[in-house]
């Protein structure tokens, strides 16, 4: 089938259909969206005199069965595609390119394609490509999974996010770090399970964390926190306690707050009060006095109110007063804190004309 050609786009700014006010699990810079969009704008600006001719030749190459797709051409078309027809051409070219046995480059197209489909709001197409066995060598890297999972969770398509991760687990992720389950992708699938908040999602989370610990030895604190809160919501505080106990950094403020909730839920109010007291009594770090989440005090209060121990009630009243008067109570509660976007790494390395360089792609695959 021949692809229709689109009229000149070089005089216009590349369009994106990414919603303006959308919360992303990982910040747009972390998954490379900001720099990807900037690189596309720079590419079009630098090549505006010749971009229409390039697109015409590219479409001709796609429509000719015996025409070769060159790495540079496919990369440049990803940087300039601005219509559904042109994106379809990129995908067809990718299939032809992937079937070519003769390649002399390490450039990996998985993440750039996923970013293109992200900003064009095409998660269904992204899922289809990710699960296409003929393209598994293109999209089996953890960076591709991270970008797709982030989009699905952002769109509240939790079942699809879980489906993609389970498919990736079965097929295997390509990571240079040697981890069987890439850390960032695990955070996102656990986010999906946490937001589903069902007994079934808790069961899946248990199964997943068991596999992670067996293969990769440790879990991320944010992952552990979400699983623990999910367990607490379904009256499994003992499991939550075991999860946070498996962390290499058990003294993080968030984890200590969850530990206090677990103690309270298990009827060990005095130990819960001790944990919160230690948290509140520590000197502030970077002028942040807010160490105790309101949810924790709510759980302890519920247990204390049922107790006949007056000393325990007095201790809790004193603790609540100390936390309040010394500005140790967080204005953001625990669940909202866990929902805050993750932003940590430089987003992307750019080379000439802002085009993506391979080192960034390798960096994402390390996770």
């Amino acid at each position: 089938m021949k692809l229709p050609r689109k009229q000149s786009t070089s005089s216009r700014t590349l369009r994106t259909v990414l919603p303006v006010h959308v919360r992303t699990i990982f910040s747009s810079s972390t998954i490379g969206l900001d720099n990807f969009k900037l690189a596309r704008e720079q590419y079009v600006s630098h090549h505006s005199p010749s971009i229409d001719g390039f697109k015409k030749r590219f479409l001709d190459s796609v429509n000719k069965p015996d025409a070769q797709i060159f790495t540079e051409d496919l990369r440049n078309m990803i940087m300039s595609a601005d219509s559904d027809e042109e994106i379809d051409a990129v995908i067809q070219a990718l299939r032809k390119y992937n079937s070519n046995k003769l390649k002399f480059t390490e450039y990996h197209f998985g993440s750039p394609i996923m970013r293109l489909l992200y900003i064009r709001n095409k998660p269904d197409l992204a899922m289809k490509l990710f699960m296409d066995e003929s393209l598994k060598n293109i999209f089996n890297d953890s960076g591709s999974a991270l970008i797709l999972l982030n989009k699905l969770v952002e769109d509240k398509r939790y079942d699809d996010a879980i489906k993609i991760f389970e498919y990736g687990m079965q097929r295997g992720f390509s990571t240079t770090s040697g981890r069987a389950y890439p850390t960032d992708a695990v955070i996102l699938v656990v986010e999906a399970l946490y937001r589903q908040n069902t007994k079934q999602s808790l069961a899946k989370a248990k199964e997943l964390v068991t596999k992670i610990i067996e293969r990769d030895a440790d879990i991320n604190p944010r992952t552990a926190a979400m699983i623990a809160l999910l367990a607490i919501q379904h009256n499994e505080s003992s499991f939550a306690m075991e999860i946070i106990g498996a962390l290499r950094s058990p003294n993080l403020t968030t984890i200590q707050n969850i530990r206090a909730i677990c103690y309270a839920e298990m009827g060990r109010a005095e130990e819960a009060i001790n944990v919160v007291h230690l948290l509140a009594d520590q000197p502030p770090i970077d002028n942040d006095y807010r160490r105790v989440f309101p949810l924790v005090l709510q759980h302890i209060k519920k247990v204390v109110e049922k107790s006949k121990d007056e000393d325990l009630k007095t201790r809790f009243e004193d603790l609540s007063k100390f936390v309040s008067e010394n500005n140790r109570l967080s204005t953001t509660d625990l669940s909202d804190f866990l929902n805050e976007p993750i932003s940590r790494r430089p987003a992307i390395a750019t080379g000439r004309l802002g085009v993506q360089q391979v080192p960034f792609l390798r960096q994402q695959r390390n996770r």
Side-chain angles (χ1 to χ4, degrees):
M1 180 181 76
K2 288 200 170 186
L3 294 165
R5 290 179 186 143
K6 196 169 182 279
Q7 293 182 347
S8 172
T9 60
S10 58
S11 61
R12 295 183 287 108
T13 302
L14 286 168
R15 301 191 312 270
T16 64
V17 290
L18 191 65
V20 178
H21 299 294
V22 174
R23 169 194 169 273
T24 53
I25 311 305
F26 284 86
S27 68
S28 57
S29 62
T30 298
I31 59 175
L33 291 182
D34 292 348
N35 281 67
F36 180 71
K37 288 185 284 187
L38 177 61
R40 279 166 52 86
E41 291 171 2
Q42 290 176 339
Y43 179 85
V44 171
S45 175
H46 281 90
H47 293 84
S48 56
S50 60
I51 196 167
D52 292 325
F54 162 71
K55 287 185 176 182
K56 179 181 181 300
R57 289 191 298 274
F58 187 87
L59 292 173
D60 287 341
S61 297
V62 171
N63 288 322
K64 292 178 182 178
D66 57 344
Q68 183 177 353
I69 302 297
F70 294 99
T71 302
E72 186 75 8
D73 288 345
L74 179 53
R75 182 165 52 192
N76 290 339
M77 192 63 181
I78 291 172
M79 303 307 291
S80 59
D82 190 38
S83 70
D84 289 350
E85 293 80 10
E86 290 169 0
I87 291 174
D88 288 341
V90 168
I91 303 308
Q92 288 195 36
L94 180 69
R95 294 184 183 280
K96 289 185 68 174
Y97 178 86
N98 191 51
S99 65
N100 181 12
K101 304 297 182 183
L102 193 63
K103 300 187 187 77
F104 300 100
T105 177
E106 293 183 1
Y107 191 87
H108 196 85
F109 281 104
S111 295
I113 292 286
M114 285 297 169
R115 290 190 188 97
L116 175 62
L117 299 179
Y118 198 124
I119 67 173
R120 295 296 301 173
N121 198 26
K122 293 183 176 295
D124 290 322
L125 178 55
M127 286 183 64
K128 180 180 178 181
L129 294 177
F130 186 88
M131 300 178 72
D132 189 331
E133 277 300 298
S134 68
L135 298 174
K136 64 181 179 181
N137 292 331
I138 300 289
F139 296 108
N140 66 345
D141 65 297
S142 58
S144 295
L146 172 66
I147 296 164
L148 175 54
L149 286 170
N150 198 78
K151 176 61 175 170
L152 294 173
V153 174
E154 174 186 296
D155 289 350
K156 300 181 180 180
R157 296 175 59 168
Y158 306 132
D159 286 332
D160 286 337
I162 295 165
K163 179 181 179 181
I164 286 295
F165 186 84
E166 289 179 337
Y167 185 86
M169 285 177 63
Q170 182 179 7
R171 181 174 64 188
F173 294 101
S174 174
T175 61
T176 56
S177 65
R179 294 185 70 93
Y181 307 113
T183 301
D184 292 345
V186 170
I187 291 175
L188 288 172
V189 73
V190 169
E191 173 96 15
L193 293 168
Y194 171 71
R195 291 186 170 280
Q196 280 187 327
N197 192 23
T198 64
K199 282 285 187 183
Q200 291 75 19
S201 58
L202 176 58
K204 280 183 177 289
K206 286 181 177 182
E207 179 183 352
L208 175 60
V209 76
T210 300
K211 291 180 178 179
I212 293 172
I213 293 175
E214 287 177 351
R215 294 290 301 273
D216 294 329
D218 64 337
I219 54 176
N220 178 275
R222 182 154 174 164
T223 299
M226 287 188 290
I227 295 176
L229 281 183
L230 178 61
I232 290 169
Q233 289 168 12
H234 292 279
N235 301 315
E236 295 197 27
S237 54
S238 58
F239 177 75
M241 183 69 92
E242 287 300 310
I243 288 296
I244 62 175
L247 289 173
R248 291 183 177 179
S249 304
N251 295 321
L252 294 172
T253 298
T254 306
I255 301 305
Q256 289 288 63
N257 274 269
I258 294 174
R259 177 173 287 108
I261 294 176
C262 290
Y263 279 139
E265 288 299 300
M266 292 187 292
R268 297 160 61 175
E270 190 166 327
E271 290 168 272
I273 291 173
N274 287 340
V275 170
V276 175
H277 179 76
L278 288 172
L279 277 172
D281 202 36
Q282 291 176 9
I285 300 175
D286 297 330
N287 296 320
D288 183 10
Y289 291 79
R290 299 167 297 175
R291 296 187 154 277
V292 180
F293 293 104
L295 181 65
V296 180
L297 294 181
Q298 292 169 18
H299 276 267
I300 299 175
K301 182 179 180 180
K302 183 176 65 175
V303 177
V304 169
E305 286 178 342
K306 295 178 182 179
S307 173
K308 296 180 181 180
D309 188 335
E310 295 301 323
D311 289 340
L312 184 66
K313 292 180 179 180
T314 300
R315 282 197 64 198
F316 178 70
E317 289 173 3
D318 292 342
L319 174 66
S320 300
K321 183 178 180 180
F322 179 84
V323 168
S324 177
E325 291 181 351
N326 291 275
N327 197 26
R328 297 297 201 269
L329 188 65
S330 176
T331 55
T332 302
D333 215 340
L334 183 53
S335 57
D336 294 327
F337 178 79
L338 290 177
N339 288 340
E340 291 182 356
I342 298 173
S343 179
R344 54 169 177 265
R345 297 187 300 271
I348 190 169
T350 54
R352 58 183 180 85
L353 305 180
V355 177
Q356 299 165 340
Q357 290 179 321
V358 176
F360 170 73
L361 302 177
R362 287 176 179 162
Q363 180 186 34
Q364 279 205 335
R365 296 173 74 183
N366 283 344
R367 302 298 298 177

